[in-house]
Structures are given as C-alpha cells and as structure tokens.
C-alpha cells in the first residue's frame, strides 16, 4: 500500500486525497479524466461529491466514527464501491483507502480502479 | 464567541460518531433503507446476521437479503440455517421520500428455549398423570392380592401346581406394586429435608425401575458396592432421580448394548484437584472421608467440544423430542444440594465415566 506521498506520484490510476474535514485537497490527472471534473471545481469539495447519494450517510457515519475512535475497519484493503462522476454516472470501482497523520491531522488517500460500467 | 466552520464540523462529526457507535452496539440488526429499497446504513449486528462485509451491504438492495417488507415474525434461511426473525419495519417520511428502518431480532434460540420449556411442562404433566394412574392401578392390584390370598386358603394344600401358580401371581402383583410405589415416590414434589439413607438401596431401586429397559437394550450391569456402606444424608426421591438420569444416559450411549459398571465405596481423599483441595472454594478437603460412586459405560462417549456444555440447561445431543436437555442440569443441582460433586471423563468411541463424591456425616 502506497503512502500519501506515494499516491501523489501515481500517474496511471485515479487518486484522490482528502483532509480530516472530508474535503478533497488533491486529485491527479487520471481522476479528472474519469470523473469529468476540473481540478479547480473539485478541490475543496466534500468527498461525498464523488459518492452516490444513497451512500452519503454511511460515509459520513463511518468517517466520523474513524475520526473519533481512530480504529480503521476499511483501510488498506481493496473495497468494491460505487462512485459517481460529475454528470451523475454511477460506476463500480475498487477503492483502496489509506490514512496517515500529518502534524496531528488525518489525511486520507484513495486509489480508484474502475471495474464495470466505466463511464464514457 | 462564534463557532468556526471547522469546529462545527468537528462537533457534528462527534455527534455522528456517537450515534454510529451507539447503534453499532445494539444487539438487534438495524438497517436504514431508502425509498428505492437500497440499504443506506446498517449496524454491525446486521452485518453479522447476513454474514456479509459491511461495505457490501451498503447500497445493496434490501430485497437481495430479505423478502419481508413489513413488521412480523419471519422464517428465513441464512447460510443453510433456518432462523426465526422478529422484524419491526418503521417507515419514516422525509421530504426526499419515505425511508424504512428495519430492526431485526434473531429469536431462533429464544423460540427453541420456549419450545423446550413447553416440552418440560408437558413432561411434568405426564409425571402428574402417571402418579394419578399409579394410584388407580394400585387399588385393583390390592383386590387381586386379597383374592389370591383368599384362594390360597380355599384350595387344598395338595394342589401344589395351583398353589405355585397363585404364588407366582402374588409375586408378580407385589413386583408391580413395588414399581408403582417407586413411580409415586419419583413423581412426588421434591422434599427439602435430608435424612440418613442407604445409597445402595437408592441405586438398587433406580436399577429396578429401569430393569426392563436395560434388558431390552442388552445392557449388562456390573455392580460393585462396598459392604456396610455408610449411610448418607439424602433425599431418597431426589437421589433416585440422579441415578435414573445417569443410568438412562449410559443406556442411550450404548444403542448396541454393553456393560454399565457401578462402583461405590468410602474413600479418604488423598490428592487435591477438581473440587478437592485447601482453597475456600473447594468442596472437599484432602484427608476428608467421602462416598465415591463411579458409573462407567462403554458407549459412544462425549465429544470434547460438548463436554463443557453438558450441564447447560437445554443442552442436548439427543435428536429433537428425545431429550429436554435438563437431565444433567437437574442432576448436578440435586448433587450439589446434597453437598456432593459430579464430574465427567469421556473419550469419544470408548465411553464415559461419571464420578460422584458425597460427604459422609460424622455420625454415620
């Protein structure tokens, strides 16, 4: 599993990085190509922007629980989850999420590998 | 003082985390479904119930897992096992549509326990019925005995064959009467008072009650009971129940017949271990004189995974309807009420040994 710094060097697979408020701080070129967002549009937006609406609550609850307990249940393992593009196209993708603490604050990074229904 | 956005988010996240943790700690399975029927959130108990990773339950159609949509009791098969689920479906109207919160309780074990209790109560009723029947049967037996006595007086002593037949009739009636007395004793409510009594007689009475079953099951009894066994303080009725339970278990463990050995003797405890020692929790002391009763069968034995559960109420390895799972629970309770202890050693395929220890009162 790559570190957050390692994820920033990824050029082939889509990568997204978020801060502990759950706001996107970094995306790479493959991410922009896949999700159809422009960098300035997506940066600063909450992670729920790329999560289908029916999973927003689960994300918020799980994310909040992790911040409080610091006990990971889903990190560093491939997870099949739906994601959503700017146009609202939902697709299945394998997410591998990692978390690191920097200056006492959590940073989250994910590599997203589209599986089926790849949006054209 | 104004709250910054960061602080507000932190506070809200804290609240969400507490809600999530609280619902996660609930034993009932909970799932929140959206109007389209997909699971938006579920707790850990739900993941366990459906035996699927949390992440794969999220967003999945609820109907993929369960066919019910409303509150009620449902039978549901999970991984080939039938479960009974008590479901509460609570619709929640929201501006974006109606969500439903499902609260699911697996009551399979509860239902099994209830059924077993009903069966136990039925058996208790059968016991009461048996005691009523026994009373009714004793009256005609008394008339038969009186009539046989009368005939004996009326028939000439020369008619030896008839006298032999009458004697056989009297013996059979007395035997039937004895069995009925034992049955009545057995079905009487437990009497708390203990009195000096012979363990040998209790064992003999129990064996006599089961003599027919033992013979049919081709079980040979090998009895080795010390002469002049000291009396012990006991409630004979309860102690008889102990031996009947243990002998029946041995009988059922040897479906093709076999040998049941009963050894009973006084002994001075020499080694610590089990319930013997010098600690405050130990039942017996090293050097104490006790009655030791060992019941050994050469049956199928008890699986190592089951041996620690044999005293659990309602635990049984017998087919449904054949055992209540209360026999050994009651047995241990009775023995402990008599100040004694019971332990099992068993080897699968080789047999089981039950060791009973009873204190001997100093005055006996």
């Amino acid at each position: 599993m790559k570190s957050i710094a390692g994820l920033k060097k990824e050029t082939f697979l889509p990568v997204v990085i978020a801060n502990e408020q759950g706001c996107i701080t970094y995306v790479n070129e493959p991410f922009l190509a896949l999700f159809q967002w422009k960098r300035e549009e997506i940066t600063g937006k909450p992670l729920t922007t790329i999560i289908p609406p029916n999973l927003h609550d689960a994300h918020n609850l799980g994310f909040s629980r992790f911040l409080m307990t610091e006990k990971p249940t889903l990190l560093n393992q491939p997870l099949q989850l739906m994601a959503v593009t700017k146009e609202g196209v939902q697709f299945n993708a394998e997410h591998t999420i990692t978390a690191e603490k920097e200056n006492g604050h959590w940073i989250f990074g994910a590599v997203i590998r589209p599986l089926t229904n790849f949006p054209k | 003082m104004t709250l910054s956005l960061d602080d507000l988010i932190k506070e809200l996240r804290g609240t969400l985390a507490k809600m999530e943790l609280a619902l996660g700690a609930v034993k009932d399975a909970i799932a929140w479904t959206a109007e389209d029927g997909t699971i938006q959130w579920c707790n850990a108990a739900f993941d366990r119930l459906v035996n699927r990773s949390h992440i794969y339950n999220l967003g999945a159609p609820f109907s993929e897992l369960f066919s019910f949509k409303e509150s009620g009791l449902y039978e549901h098969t999970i991984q080939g096992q039938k479960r009974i689920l008590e479901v509460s479906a609570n619709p929640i109207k929201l501006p974006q549509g109606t969500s439903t919160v499902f609260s699911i309780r697996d009551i399979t074990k509860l239902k099994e326990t209830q059924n077993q209790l009903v069966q136990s109560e039925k058996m208790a009723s059968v016991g009461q019925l048996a005691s009523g029947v026994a009373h009714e049967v004793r009256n005609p037996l008394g008339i038969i005995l009186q009539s046989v006595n009368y005939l004996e007086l009326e028939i000439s002593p020369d008619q030896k064959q008839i006298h032999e037949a009458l004697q056989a009739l009297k013996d059979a009636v007395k035997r039937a009467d004895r069995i009925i007395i034992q049955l009545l004793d057995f079905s009487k409510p437990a009497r708390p008072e203990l009195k000096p009594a012979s363990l040998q007689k209790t064992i003999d009475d129990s064996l006599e009650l089961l003599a027919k079953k033992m013979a049919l099951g081709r079980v040979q009894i090998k009895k080795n009971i010390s002469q002049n066994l000291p009396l012990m303080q006991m409630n004979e009725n309860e102690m008889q129940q102990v031996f009947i339970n243990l002998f029946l278990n041995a009988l059922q463990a040897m479906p093709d017949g076999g040998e049941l050995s009963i050894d009973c003797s006084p002994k001075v405890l020499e080694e610590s271990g089990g319930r013997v020692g010098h600690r405050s929790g130990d039942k017996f002391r090293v050097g104490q004189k006790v009655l030791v009763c060992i019941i050994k069968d050469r049956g199928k034995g008890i699986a190592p995974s089951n041996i620690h559960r044999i005293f659990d109420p309602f635990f049984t390895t017998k087919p449904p309807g054949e055992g209540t799972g209360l026999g050994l629970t009651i047995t241990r309770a009775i023995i402990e009420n008599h100040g004694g202890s019971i332990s099992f050693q068993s080897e699968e395929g080789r047999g089981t040994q039950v060791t009973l220890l009873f204190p001997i009162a100093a005055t006996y």
Side-chain angles (χ1 to χ4, degrees), chain A residues 21 54-55 57-58 60-61 63-65 67-69 74 78-81, chain B residues 6 9-10 13-14 16-18 20-21 38-41 55-56 58-59:
Chain A
Q21 277 84 44
N54 66 347
L55 295 177
D57 292 340
N60 281 323
L61 287 162
F63 193 86
S64 305
R65 184 190 56 211
L67 289 175
M68 179 176 251
T69 64
L74 303 173
L79 305 166
Q80 277 189 41
L81 286 167
Chain B
D6 273 6
I9 290 170
K10 209 175 264 180
R13 287 225 179 272
L16 282 177
K18 283 175 196 162
E20 219 266 353
L21 288 167
T38 55
I39 299 168
Q40 294 204 319
W41 181 84
I55 203 78
Y56 299 119
L58 299 176

Side-chain angles (χ1 to χ4, degrees), chain A residues 19-23 60-61 63-70 101-106 108, chain B residues 1 3-19 21:
Chain A
N19 62 17
E20 70 181 10
Q21 277 84 44
C23 294
N60 281 323
L61 287 162
F63 193 86
S64 305
R65 184 190 56 211
F66 173 77
L67 289 175
M68 179 176 251
T69 64
E70 300 197 337
K101 244 183 181 175
E102 194 180 276
N103 301 324
H105 296 285
W106 283 103
F108 300 88
Chain B
M1 185 186 126
L3 206 61
S4 73
L5 190 61
D6 273 6
D7 289 340
L8 186 64
I9 290 170
K10 209 175 264 180
E11 193 176 309
L12 286 173
R13 287 225 179 272
T15 307
L16 282 177
K18 283 175 196 162
M19 298 273 290
L21 288 167

Side-chain angles (χ1 to χ4, degrees), chain B residues 14 39 51 58 99 105 124 139 159 171 183 260 265 333:
Chain B
I39 299 168
N51 196 28
L58 299 176
S99 293
R105 183 172 292 181
N139 292 336
Q159 293 182 287
D171 289 346
L183 192 62
L260 169 67
S265 59

Side-chain angles (χ1 to χ4, degrees), chain B residues 121-170:
Chain B
E121 280 177 14
K122 271 186 196 168
M123 287 192 56
S125 305
V126 169
Q128 283 177 347
L129 193 67
S131 91
V133 170
H135 271 297
E136 291 305 316
V137 174
R138 282 194 81 194
N139 292 336
L141 282 179
I143 295 167
I144 294 169
L145 201 60
Q146 277 177 11
S147 306
V148 172
N149 285 337
Y150 169 73
L151 287 172
E152 270 185 333
L153 293 173
E154 289 299 309
I155 292 165
S156 156
D158 302 337
Q159 293 182 287
K160 275 194 174 171
Q161 278 187 326
I162 294 178
H163 274 283
E164 277 172 17
L166 289 174
Q167 187 56 48
L169 196 55
K170 271 168 70 174

Side-chain angles (χ1 to χ4, degrees), chain B residues 13 42 44 56 106 179 214 223 232 270:
Chain B
R13 287 225 179 272
C42 59
Y56 299 119
D106 186 347
I179 290 168
M214 293 288 183
K223 213 167 49 168
M232 61 173 271
E270 288 171 354

